[in-house]
Amino acid sequence: MPDSLSRSPGLAAAGMPPAPQLIGNSAAMQALRAQIGRIAGSGAPVAIRGESGSGKELAARAIHAQGARAGLPFVAVNCGAIPDALMEAEFFGCRQGAYTGALHERQGLFQAAHGGSLLLDEVDDLPLAMQVKLLRALQERRVRKLGGSRDEAVDVRILCASQHGLARGVAAGTFRRDLYYRLNVIELAVPPLRERLDDLQVLCEAILARLAPRQSVRLAPCVLAALAAHAFPGNVRELENMLERALAFADDGVIAPDGLGLPSPAGAAARASITPLRLAPVLPERQLSLPGMAPRNMAPVLPLALYLCQAEREMITLALVRERYHRARAAQLLGISVRQLRYRMHKLTIQEPRFDDGMEDR
């Protein structure tokens, strides 16, 4: 099984396959597995920090599988994918007729995870109003269905995940400090792929075995070197996408570097050298060059796709900076969904600044 899992909005299946494995023998992965082994037996909340695609959910599943709650429900929810209007019903359940469209009584995430573990992925995307209700449920270990009149006891171990840690949201004023202390009892950092390149070969083998179980697939000798030179902003998920693409272009089951879709060094250097573009005014006809003469006082012409990528990068970066890198608010400012924003950030390799473990930005 690869070191990343696709995450869909809302509830993940409670009945899980056998215990997942964190792939890799690098020093970083050995240290991560050792930490998981130590904290799995505790019932304390764990805040998992790691870049997109690095395997945060897989680490959470490993904690659950090695703990006392193994074999009981593991429920994962992407907090950024639930509409605000449905959030309370998703978390705590609802009674029949509690709102328009509530035709039946239904359980929430807490009831579904009772006895087991609940993973709150992208927990820092929760709106402040829902953070208050979540804090109350964690403190009292009881929830009340939307439209209900009595509380229900719930017993769940809370695991949460975020890209840069919850301290960033506290410093920006978008995450409650009291909820931060409730969730961040134990912090676990999942290393990015660029810090564990020694695992590339075993990761490739595991991913290809899953993608093509009935095929004989092998890597050309120079593939690993080409992969090791890549920055992998999308981490293991990006590697999985590369290999899936490469399978479609493989000749006789051999994956070559040109099938990976890696950017060429020349192309990467050209993109890095582009400065913010400003459109030049239209010149009067008398200033235009005659045929055979070099044009004067005109802006350089670039490929249109390159120009549009630069303009999109600038606008997304401006929105992120203005909203202090709060993805939900930046996405709203841009008029797109959080999922679309994450995809565009990955596509354009827009990296958010790193924050330390304290309450202040670096």
Side-chain angles (χ1 to χ4, degrees), residues 25-69:
N25 298 314
S26 62
M29 290 306 293
Q30 291 183 32
L32 177 63
R33 282 195 292 267
Q35 284 183 288
I36 289 174
R38 288 195 295 268
I39 66 179
S42 167
V46 180
I48 304 170
R49 172 168 51 88
E51 296 179 8
S52 177
S54 59
K56 298 185 294 295
E57 183 174 333
L58 192 55
R61 293 184 185 276
I63 293 171
H64 173 77
Q66 296 180 36
R69 298 173 185 263

Side-chain angles (χ1 to χ4, degrees), residues 266-336:
R271 286 190 295 273
S273 66
I274 298 174
T275 55
L277 299 179
R278 300 291 181 266
L279 291 177
V282 177
L283 298 176
E285 185 177 353
R286 66 176 180 273
Q287 292 184 358
L288 295 177
S289 301
L290 295 175
M293 296 178 60
R296 300 178 300 161
N297 301 325
M298 297 186 71
V301 175
L302 292 174
L304 182 59
L306 203 56
Y307 178 91
L308 294 176
C309 283
Q310 176 67 17
E312 185 177 10
R313 181 194 299 274
E314 288 186 3
M315 192 57 61
I316 290 175
T317 302
L318 177 63
L320 287 168
V321 170
R322 182 170 296 177
E323 297 299 338
R324 298 197 56 148
Y325 286 88
H326 190 281
R327 292 184 299 279
R329 291 205 305 259
Q332 185 176 11
L333 191 64
L334 292 165
I336 60 178

Side-chain angles (χ1 to χ4, degrees), residues 15-359:
M16 297 304 302
Q21 299 294 319
L22 287 163
I23 302 294
N25 298 314
S26 62
M29 290 306 293
Q30 291 183 32
L32 177 63
R33 282 195 292 267
Q35 284 183 288
I36 289 174
R38 288 195 295 268
I39 66 179
S42 167
V46 180
I48 304 170
R49 172 168 51 88
E51 296 179 8
S52 177
S54 59
K56 298 185 294 295
E57 183 174 333
L58 192 55
R61 293 184 185 276
I63 293 171
H64 173 77
Q66 296 180 36
R69 298 173 185 263
L72 295 170
F74 177 95
V75 176
V77 57
N78 187 327
C79 297
I82 304 176
D84 291 0
L86 300 178
M87 197 161 283
E88 187 173 356
E90 283 290 317
F91 274 89
F92 308 134
C94 69
R95 304 281 293 181
Q96 182 179 0
Y99 58 88
T100 303
L103 304 179
H104 307 282
E105 181 170 347
R106 59 189 291 263
Q107 286 190 330
L109 296 166
F110 273 86
Q111 293 95 333
H114 181 67
S117 303
L118 175 61
L119 171 63
L120 306 175
D121 196 6
E122 305 297 346
V123 67
D124 43 350
D125 284 343
L126 284 175
L128 287 170
M130 189 61 207
Q131 291 179 32
V132 176
K133 296 171 183 176
L134 176 61
L135 177 63
R136 179 179 179 274
L138 297 180
Q139 289 175 334
E140 300 185 5
R141 298 178 181 271
R142 304 180 72 84
V143 298
R144 177 177 296 184
K145 290 181 178 177
L146 188 64
S149 58
R150 62 183 183 85
D151 293 342
E152 303 176 39
V154 289
D155 173 28
V156 297
R157 183 179 189 180
I158 296 295
L159 310 171
C160 65
S162 63
Q163 289 198 36
H164 294 285
L166 303 180
R168 175 183 69 105
V170 176
T174 59
F175 200 82
R176 292 180 60 95
R177 187 179 294 267
D178 46 7
L179 182 57
Y180 165 82
Y181 287 122
R182 175 67 62 173
L183 294 175
N184 204 69
V185 177
I186 301 174
E187 187 173 65
L188 182 72
V190 178
L193 182 54
R194 63 181 174 275
E195 294 180 5
R196 42 180 295 229
L197 294 177
D198 291 348
D199 294 331
L200 274 175
Q201 182 170 354
V202 67
L203 280 171
C204 288
E205 292 172 353
I207 292 171
L208 290 173
R210 186 183 65 83
L211 294 176
R214 295 187 176 91
Q215 290 180 246
S216 177
V217 183
R218 60 187 179 88
L219 303 177
C222 50
V223 166
L224 288 177
L227 289 173
H230 184 56
F232 282 107
N235 292 288
V236 181
R237 187 179 297 119
E238 181 183 6
L239 174 63
E240 184 173 353
N241 292 339
M242 281 184 178
L243 293 175
E244 188 169 10
R245 177 188 188 277
L247 274 173
F249 293 94
D251 292 328
D252 297 325
V254 178
I255 290 179
D258 56 358
L260 297 169
L262 288 167
S264 65
R271 286 190 295 273
S273 66
I274 298 174
T275 55
L277 299 179
R278 300 291 181 266
L279 291 177
V282 177
L283 298 176
E285 185 177 353
R286 66 176 180 273
Q287 292 184 358
L288 295 177
S289 301
L290 295 175
M293 296 178 60
R296 300 178 300 161
N297 301 325
M298 297 186 71
V301 175
L302 292 174
L304 182 59
L306 203 56
Y307 178 91
L308 294 176
C309 283
Q310 176 67 17
E312 185 177 10
R313 181 194 299 274
E314 288 186 3
M315 192 57 61
I316 290 175
T317 302
L318 177 63
L320 287 168
V321 170
R322 182 170 296 177
E323 297 299 338
R324 298 197 56 148
Y325 286 88
H326 190 281
R327 292 184 299 279
R329 291 205 305 259
Q332 185 176 11
L333 191 64
L334 292 165
I336 60 178
S337 68
V338 176
R339 184 179 296 275
Q340 289 173 318
L341 176 60
R342 289 185 188 133
Y343 169 77
R344 283 174 162 84
M345 289 175 64
H346 167 68
K347 177 183 175 183
L348 299 170
T349 64
I350 298 174
Q351 297 287 344
E352 298 182 9
R354 291 179 177 272
F355 295 86
D356 59 20
D357 294 336
M359 292 298 176

